[in-house]
Amino acid sequence: MTLRSVVRGAGHYLPRRVVPNAEFEARLDTTDEWIRSRSGIERRHFAAEGETTSDLAVAAAAAALADAGMQADEIDAIVVATSTPDLTFPSVATMVQGRLGMTRGFAFDVQAVCAGFVFALANADALIRAGQARRVLVIGAETFSRILDWTDRGTCVLFGDGAGALVLEAAEGAGTTDDRGILATDLNSDGRHKDLLYVDGGVSATGSAGQLRMQGNAVFRHAVEKLADTAHRALDKAGLSGADVDWIVPHQANLRIITATAQRMQVPMDRVVVTVQDHGNTSAASIPLALSVGKQRGQIKPGDLVVTEAIGGGLAWGAVVLRW
Ligand code: UT7
């Protein structure tokens, strides 16, 4: 028998304000046509004034708990992936814990930027398999609108705000690829590439939050190469191949990256969950958002083999193979 981390529920939350590409045309030298054709993005949600990452995370967590039919006090641990916490500390995860009314267990944040949810899932899976927690709420939540330079057309049109969450629960599996739950994970980072995508401020460097800076073209090239590689490695570890995949649920940064990765994995686009047109790049929130939306659309069903893959600042990248 093998202990597996099985998905029991999924949920998401998007701030109410929807901003179409056309809104950027008025204040920047850009067009709806450029944004759509270069990134696939048509609109994104932005948090209201005063609406914080923990607000988004709590709403997504509540939706995931409802979907799982569980109460907050049945959860042993909360892992939040975010690079845009409400405050420098405490963690968003402990804020969520408090607001859900949980009085036991433990909570902490993981920071791996756009790859954050993949890192959080791998950590939650390790906690479950080590016997540290039986039920873990894994959340990706971001308010990237707070760190955008609204004069930089190369970045500010690409990002959005949102949150998604999964409830994982320990369950005995047979130890085969037919088991439900997380079957394999693959995590990577390479700090030599830190200048390709970073925020130019922070507590100990500037004492300010800073703004996002990206060499989009260079990140694009790394993404196309590294995402298919990590997905293949994770599938290999699980003893599976691209032919076994029911759904790729990729980080939603750019439709051209999503398409190129699917091609390299030899998975047709009708087996890829795509939400980038509606959400933009929501960093660590993009995969759990897409998982929850994919489930709601009736795309992802129990027993389906799902591969998630993501890359972001660091660079940090990775993939998770799971049976839904
Ligand atoms: O989530 C973390 C990981 N991040 C990513 O995966 C993002 C990866 N990168 C990308 O998605 C793409 O590189 C972008 C969408 C950011 C840019 O697409 P690109 O095809 O790589 O364009 P580019 O950066 O090479 O720029 C092409 C041209 C440039 O003009 P020149 O130098 O050729 O005259 C840019 O100045 O497009 C220009 N440009 C714009 N034009 C209109 C850049 N941003 C805009 C804009 N509107 N918003």
Side-chain angles (χ1 to χ4, degrees):
M1 300 295 264
T2 305
L3 205 53
R4 301 288 195 192
S5 309
V6 177
V7 177
R8 297 294 189 212
H12 68 272
Y13 174 79
L14 289 157
R16 202 168 311 153
R17 182 171 165 228
V18 179
V19 176
N21 291 344
E23 269 196 38
F24 290 98
E25 289 181 345
R27 51 188 159 103
L28 281 171
D29 181 14
T30 190
T31 59
D32 172 45
E33 151 58 22
W34 190 94
I35 301 169
R36 265 175 212 258
S37 62
R38 304 316 291 166
S39 73
I41 298 165
E42 297 171 20
R43 59 193 74 80
R44 74 286 292 140
H45 294 245
F46 284 144
E49 210 181 312
E51 193 175 32
T52 63
T53 296
S54 68
D55 293 331
L56 276 48
V58 166
L65 284 170
D67 190 50
M70 287 182 202
Q71 304 295 321
D73 60 12
E74 295 175 87
I75 299 294
D76 303 313
I78 300 177
V79 185
V80 175
T82 189
S83 300
T84 46
D86 299 27
L87 303 173
T88 301
F89 72 78
S91 64
V92 173
T94 52
M95 293 181 183
V96 173
Q97 184 192 26
R99 284 179 52 190
L100 290 177
M102 264 174 74
T103 54
R104 61 176 199 91
F106 59 94
F108 62 95
D109 289 357
V110 164
Q111 205 265 56
V113 204
C114 296
F117 194 75
V118 164
F119 278 66
L121 265 188
N123 274 277
D125 179 48
L127 288 172
I128 286 175
R129 285 188 294 106
Q132 301 258 2
R134 286 193 58 78
R135 289 170 166 172
V136 184
L137 192 50
V138 190
I139 304 169
E142 302 277 19
T143 47
F144 260 51
S145 62
R146 306 290 195 245
I147 53 166
L148 295 177
D149 175 352
W150 300 106
T151 65
D152 177 10
R153 66 177 184 170
T155 56
C156 74
V157 301
L158 301 173
F159 293 89
D161 301 337
L166 294 185
V167 178
L168 298 181
E169 184 177 42
E172 290 289 349
T176 71
T177 55
D178 289 336
D179 287 353
R180 288 187 67 195
I182 294 178
L183 300 177
T185 62
D186 185 63
L187 302 181
N188 312 269
S189 56
D190 186 344
R192 289 174 301 175
H193 301 302
K194 69 178 172 50
D195 295 335
L196 298 185
L197 176 50
Y198 65 99
V199 169
D200 63 6
V203 180
S204 83
T206 61
S208 63
Q211 290 179 321
L212 184 148
R213 307 289 169 210
M214 178 167 73
Q215 294 177 37
N217 210 279
V219 176
F220 188 101
R221 286 196 300 274
H222 280 285
V224 168
E225 174 203 313
K226 291 184 164 57
L227 289 173
D229 280 358
T230 184
H232 275 137
R233 263 197 307 280
L235 281 165
D236 250 16
K237 289 181 191 174
L240 294 163
S241 76
D244 299 305
V245 174
D246 292 303
W247 294 105
I248 300 178
V249 184
H251 170 47
Q252 310 281 324
N254 186 314
L255 186 58
R256 291 186 294 139
I257 295 173
I258 292 171
T259 308
T261 304
Q263 254 165 19
R264 288 172 78 121
M265 291 176 67
Q266 295 184 304
V267 173
M269 277 307 283
D270 61 5
R271 285 199 268 142
V272 183
V273 176
V274 180
T275 57
V276 68
Q277 69 282 4
D278 297 325
H279 302 165
N281 182 348
T282 58
S283 184
S286 92
I287 287 175
L289 264 165
L291 287 167
S292 176
V293 168
K295 182 186 172 180
Q296 278 187 355
R297 285 179 187 159
Q299 292 176 306
I300 305 171
K301 296 191 194 64
D304 281 355
L305 190 81
V306 175
V307 179
T308 65
E309 28 88 351
I311 186 165
L315 295 175
W317 68 102
V320 174
V321 175
L322 64 94
R323 196 169 291 287
W324 193 257

